[in-house]
Amino acid sequence: MRWGILGAAHFARTQMGPAIHAAKGAELVALATSSAEKAEGFQSFAPGLRVHRDYDALLADPGVDAVYIPLPNHLHVDWTVKALEAGKHVLCEKPIALQAAQIDRIIAARDASGKMAAEAFMIVHHPQFVRARELVRGGAIGRLRHVEVVFTYNNPDRANIRNKPETGGGGLPDIGVYAFGAARFVTGAEPVAVTHARVDYEGGVDVFAQVAADFGDFTYGAVVSTRMQPAQSILFHGDTGLVRLTSPFNANVYDMAELVLETEAGKRTHERWPAANHYVLQVEAFGAAAQGADYACPLEFSRGTQAMMDMVFAAAGNR
């Protein structure tokens, strides 16, 4: 699969570009940017890269099969649809949309084009999440009673795009998608109601959220913030055991990816994945899905996560 990237984002240069380059069955062949200096950063690991000066030119490139979109959040829907209409497979950064209903437009474009389209929700491709789902759904911790998620980091830079309301910034769009989607992926359950939501704002973007939700068979709690000391963890707490992921979202960056299983007999086991790269695994899984394989997080899954986020904003009542 020959890949092109729309825009020379820092994350694309440091993470996804190298991941595409490293993935089996994938080749990074094109980049759209008007900055020769930014293009050099990609050409350092992909020297044969074709550089297009605008996004439309890349979409018109017959040598590109798939497009990765790391553009600002408010541009995701339009450019994902444009890329699908141009006959490209599309992997778009999260959040793929800012409201659940917007994803319906992408689903329609995907179905009309016959191409693969997905949100870059990379964590579900990491073996720690595959294992957590296997344990929780398989009854290893008995009846699941509660899920607790923490994902925080500190980014007070007002010039950063994540702190700009006009481009769809905010903590929940940036990392809330992980806090909500992770619980849905592992459990296979959907929220019945958001029972509590406190959302604090600075400069027009949310910077702190405390959320409680009812998933029917279990309760859920989360803290998401872009103004706190970095921390991340997920706890799946059952009546006869628990599963804890200690570095669920930035595996082997925040800390080593580790799953801890505790059972009622007092037994504790640790599983670690020091070498797994969820970005590379995501690209490989996407390529396989374009050939007909099942995909861990299709657009319908992403719509469910965004629907939960919409519920949180509605419950907070101050968006």
Side-chain angles (χ1 to χ4, degrees):
M1 179 173 281
R2 300 167 297 178
W3 285 82
I5 300 178
L6 291 190
H10 174 77
F11 180 78
R13 177 177 59 79
T14 60
Q15 298 292 345
M16 279 302 298
I20 293 169
H21 187 66
K24 296 177 182 177
E27 181 184 6
L28 180 59
V29 300
L31 171 71
T33 179
S34 59
S35 170
E37 181 180 358
K38 290 182 178 180
E40 289 176 0
F42 291 80
Q43 290 168 323
S44 65
F45 61 83
L49 195 71
R50 295 190 299 279
V51 179
H52 297 283
R53 293 189 61 82
D54 61 64
Y55 304 152
D56 287 311
L58 187 145
L59 295 185
D61 186 339
V64 171
D65 304 310
V67 173
Y68 168 64
I69 300 177
L71 299 174
N73 294 345
H74 70 300
L75 300 176
H76 288 176
V77 174
D78 284 346
W79 281 102
T80 297
V81 170
K82 287 181 181 180
L84 287 168
E85 291 175 343
K88 312 300 185 185
H89 302 291
V90 186
L91 181 65
C92 180
E93 260 311 319
K94 52 77 198 165
I96 197 168
L98 296 174
Q99 292 182 334
Q102 295 174 342
I103 300 178
D104 294 337
R105 181 181 165 207
I106 303 175
I107 291 173
R110 175 201 65 187
D111 293 347
S113 68
K115 297 297 181 179
M116 175 65 183
E119 182 178 52
F121 192 62
M122 77 292 182
I123 62 171
V124 299
H125 305 288
H126 197 286
Q128 67 176 331
F129 273 96
V130 176
R131 180 64 171 149
R133 182 174 62 173
E134 176 185 82
L135 291 169
V136 171
R137 296 193 190 186
I141 62 174
R143 177 189 171 192
L144 179 63
R145 301 301 300 266
H146 183 69
V147 177
E148 192 72 28
V149 184
V150 173
F151 194 4
T152 63
Y153 68 89
N154 194 0
N155 175 18
D157 180 9
R158 293 295 179 87
N160 188 281
I161 196 167
R162 294 169 181 82
N163 289 320
K164 295 183 177 181
E166 65 271 20
T167 57
L172 285 172
D174 187 33
I175 57 177
V177 62
Y178 294 123
F180 303 156
R184 294 179 57 250
F185 176 78
V186 170
T187 66
E190 300 292 345
V192 176
V194 172
T195 56
H196 169 79
R198 171 178 171 173
V199 180
D200 296 345
Y201 290 79
E202 289 180 14
V205 299
D206 65 282
V207 299
F208 173 87
Q210 182 186 31
V211 176
D214 176 8
F215 274 74
D217 291 334
F218 62 90
T219 57
Y220 170 93
V223 171
V224 175
S225 178
T226 55
R227 294 295 189 276
M228 295 173 70
Q229 173 71 13
Q232 53 182 268
S233 64
I234 303 180
L235 172 68
F236 299 93
H237 205 153
D239 57 6
T240 63
L242 61 85
V243 167
R244 188 189 309 274
L245 301 181
T246 60
S247 182
F249 307 121
N250 298 115
N252 300 324
V253 175
Y254 172 76
D255 202 351
M256 181 183 294
E258 180 180 52
L259 181 151
V260 181
L261 170 65
E262 296 183 24
T263 64
E264 61 180 344
K267 182 180 179 181
R268 178 182 294 178
T269 59
H270 298 256
E271 298 180 49
R272 301 180 179 91
W273 296 268
N277 184 315
H278 47 200
Y279 300 116
V280 173
L281 293 171
Q282 174 180 242
V283 173
E284 292 175 348
F286 184 93
Q291 299 299 317
D294 290 337
Y295 195 66
C297 51
L299 290 176
E300 290 79 2
F301 176 88
S302 296
R303 193 190 192 287
T305 298
Q306 186 59 51
M308 183 174 176
M309 193 175 304
D310 293 349
M311 292 169 65
V312 169
F313 279 120
N318 60 349
R319 189 175 188 180

